[in-house]
Amino acid sequence: MTKTGLMTDFSPKANWQWQFDTEREKLMLNMGDYSIDIVYKANMLAFHSADPVFFTIEDVANYIELFDSISLSDFPPQISCTIIVHILAVGLFHKPLMPKSWLFKSLNSGTQEVNKGDRVTLTSSRTDQTGDYLVLENSDDFVLCMLVGDSHALTASKSLQQFQIVKVTRDKICLPEVETENNWNSYQIF
């Protein structure tokens, strides 16, 4: 996150805009006196314009719905805001991903039901490290997940950083053993 001021109000404003910083090759959401750098690499984004794109009414509606969802209640507002901004960036600008299932252990028969917004874990096939993820998309065969933990070591030299996404087959995901009430209500981001 890039701070140019202290953010205490997380409600979307008319001046919020997506900007691509061509010098740093970074997408960011400029929120007036505050901005959030998006972690996705420039080559994975379909937005490289120097012209800003303002937050739309649909962006605002999706942001508010997600911010008010019960599953974000265990995160501080600043982290919830950053998670949501990354979810919106995926829906708006991220190019499709190929599955990377070989990086993760098969942990179930692939029949577990998961929905958008569910918290799941993925375990690295090389390091045995488990990461905390959020389901962004769910199809019959694949699940697109965003890392909400700090980082997840996948191999000795490769790791995902917070808010990065990965697509895996359904047999790689594991629902937490203890169900919590912190599941998102359904939402539409695409």
Side-chain angles (χ1 to χ4, degrees):
M1 261 183 233
T2 303
K3 297 179 186 177
T4 55
L6 181 60
M7 184 170 186
T8 57
D9 180 11
F10 298 95
S11 301
K13 306 284 187 272
N15 65 340
W16 284 20
Q17 54 189 330
W18 299 101
Q19 294 180 314
F20 188 79
D21 183 334
T22 54
E23 287 181 24
R24 297 185 309 138
E25 292 193 347
K26 280 277 187 196
L27 176 64
M28 63 183 206
L29 180 65
N30 184 337
M31 305 158 96
D33 292 335
Y34 196 86
S35 64
I36 296 176
D37 285 340
I38 305 303
V39 300
Y40 312 126
K41 293 180 181 179
N43 66 344
M44 293 306 301
L45 299 171
F47 179 68
H48 297 131
S49 173
D51 298 327
V53 173
F54 284 92
F55 233 49
T56 65
I57 292 173
E58 185 177 339
D59 293 337
V60 170
N62 288 330
Y63 178 94
I64 291 170
E65 182 178 351
L66 292 168
F67 196 83
D68 291 340
S69 68
I70 193 165
S71 71
L72 294 179
S73 63
D74 55 342
F75 294 104
Q78 185 171 344
I79 299 297
S80 294
C81 175
T82 306
I83 291 170
I84 294 166
V85 166
H86 279 81
I87 290 171
L88 295 175
V90 168
L92 294 168
F93 307 117
H94 206 287
K95 294 177 183 175
L97 288 180
M98 293 300 293
K100 303 233 188 253
S101 297
W102 66 88
L103 294 170
F104 302 96
K105 285 185 176 182
S106 294
L107 298 173
N108 65 58
S109 64
T111 59
Q112 284 186 307
E113 283 299 315
V114 293
N115 299 301
K116 285 183 182 180
D118 284 350
R119 296 276 290 275
V120 298
T121 59
L122 295 171
T123 302
S124 167
S125 59
R126 299 264 176 99
T127 66
D128 279 337
Q129 186 182 57
T130 298
D132 186 22
Y133 290 80
L134 189 68
V135 174
L136 301 185
E137 290 179 9
N138 180 23
S139 70
D140 289 339
D141 299 319
F142 299 102
V143 180
L144 180 66
C145 300
M146 174 191 291
L147 179 65
V148 292
D150 291 333
S151 68
H152 188 188
L154 303 178
T155 67
S157 61
K158 181 177 178 64
S159 64
L160 292 177
Q161 70 182 67
Q162 192 173 34
F163 312 120
Q164 284 188 309
I165 59 175
V166 65
K167 184 183 270 188
V168 296
T169 52
R170 295 176 60 83
D171 65 322
K172 307 299 182 183
I173 60 169
C174 184
L175 291 169
E177 288 182 24
V178 178
E179 278 296 315
T180 65
E181 294 181 17
N182 291 337
N183 288 326
W184 282 1
N185 295 325
S186 66
Y187 59 89
Q188 301 295 319
I189 61 172
F190 304 107

